[in-house]
Amino acid sequence: MTERDLLNRIKNNPDAFSELFKLYYKTIFGYILRRTGNFDDTADIASDTFFKAFRHINKFSYKGISVKVWLYRIATNEVNMYFRHKQKHSSVFERADFENKNLFTNFLYEDKKELEMELQKHDQFLQVLDGLKTLPIKYQEVISLRYFEGKDNKEIVEILNINEGTLKSLISRGLEKLREKCNQI
Amino acid sequence: MKNFEEKLNQITKPKVTYLKHQDMLANAITKAKDKSVISWWWLSIPLYLIAALLMKTIFMPKTTLSLNIHDFTSRETYSSVLFFIFLPIVFIVINFMSIRNIYFLSGSPKSISFLRTAWFNVLMIIFSILILIIYSL
């Protein structure tokens, strides 16, 4: 099934959104985790990202970007809001109805343990991330997408909705600043 | 700079391979749309009374709807306040809150998906206002 078919199915039957969720939740969760380095914030931001996507899925239309790029775009905005305001996100976990809240909390706790162990295995990455988080958001976005997510110029341009020249200069200046920060660490 | 770029590419990054909470969260998010359904039947009580009084107005000469409603009000003070004021007001408030929820899920009121979801709530609000107007005549 193509993305377009899936979108049409979701428009007719919102329950089909769970298929989109299965396809991309892990990818987007990973992206947010690699930007924040914190499980709790990641879980909040990722759930908000998909809740927003669910709310606006009917407005989504193919204008040259895929659903995956669109989700990356929402997630990037959510992470940026988190960094700008450092505010507690109003979590979907508080708004949503879970059939078995205890089971959900247990699953979340197990995922947290697992991913915190995973984070600890990547010392060097965490050091770079600490440095990256001190840079302005415009550099964080491009460096994270290029070097942590392995996206090429075309994909980053689509996700951030900027032109290629701007992207190249952001990467170049961002790398310079990050190198200085990493030397200080 | 090239070395630093290479270093960034080479350092291992944390990976997310499996998330236990994923399916339950997907269910909870997709269920959020079902939160705003109100029973139509509650409004049918004042509507039925209005319809009965309208029939009385049509078939009984020299009576008006306003007269019949005031006649009913003087005989059934508490019921009339409950059916013609309290219930419609509660319905207006609840339906506005529901529309807010629908807006939250479906986006702008200008969109077709919003209207498709909210038409019933809008209808309920119109009926409730109509009942309030008729009662206050």
Side-chain angles (χ1 to χ4, degrees), chain A residues 25 55 99 110-111 147, chain B residues 5 20-21 31 104-105:
Chain A
Y25 185 66
R55 275 159 52 191
E99 276 172 15
E110 285 173 32
D111 288 337
Y147 299 101
Chain B
E5 254 191 295
K20 280 187 172 176
H21 73 274
K31 265 188 201 154
F104 198 54
L105 292 168

Side-chain angles (χ1 to χ4, degrees), chain A residues 132-141 177:
Chain A
L132 184 65
K133 278 159 93 176
T134 62
L135 300 186
I137 285 168
K138 58 183 179 180
Y139 300 124
Q140 291 184 37
E141 297 176 331
K177 285 176 190 289

Side-chain angles (χ1 to χ4, degrees), chain B residues 59-119:
Chain B
F59 291 107
M60 284 184 71
K62 292 178 186 172
T63 57
T64 62
L65 180 64
S66 167
L67 207 70
N68 284 329
I69 287 177
H70 285 114
D71 183 39
F72 177 81
T73 311
S74 59
R75 280 186 284 116
E76 303 284 342
T77 320
Y78 296 114
S79 310
S80 61
V81 170
L82 176 72
F83 292 138
F84 294 124
I85 297 178
F86 182 72
L87 269 182
I89 288 174
V90 167
F91 268 84
I92 288 169
V93 173
I94 292 173
N95 278 286
F96 265 118
M97 282 160 67
S98 302
I99 285 178
R100 197 187 155 275
N101 270 348
I102 292 165
Y103 171 69
F104 198 54
L105 292 168
S106 299
S108 155
K110 287 177 198 160
S111 67
I112 292 173
S113 95
F114 177 88
L115 287 174
R116 211 185 288 153
T117 325
W119 70 269

Side-chain angles (χ1 to χ4, degrees), chain A residues 118-176:
Chain A
E118 171 70 9
L119 278 168
Q120 282 165 12
K121 287 181 202 161
H122 304 272
D123 261 359
Q124 251 188 327
F125 168 82
L126 289 177
Q127 281 175 7
V128 173
L129 184 64
D130 279 343
L132 184 65
K133 278 159 93 176
T134 62
L135 300 186
I137 285 168
K138 58 183 179 180
Y139 300 124
Q140 291 184 37
E141 297 176 331
V142 291
I143 287 174
S144 170
L145 285 167
R146 163 60 59 81
Y147 299 101
F148 300 166
E149 304 307 305
K151 302 281 177 206
D152 59 26
N153 279 6
K154 186 176 169 284
E155 289 171 301
I156 301 174
V157 160
E158 279 181 348
I159 292 168
L160 300 178
N161 204 15
I162 53 175
N163 65 49
E164 203 163 342
T166 311
L167 172 66
K168 281 178 182 167
S169 78
L170 282 173
I171 287 180
S172 150
R173 270 182 280 150
L175 272 178
E176 186 64 47

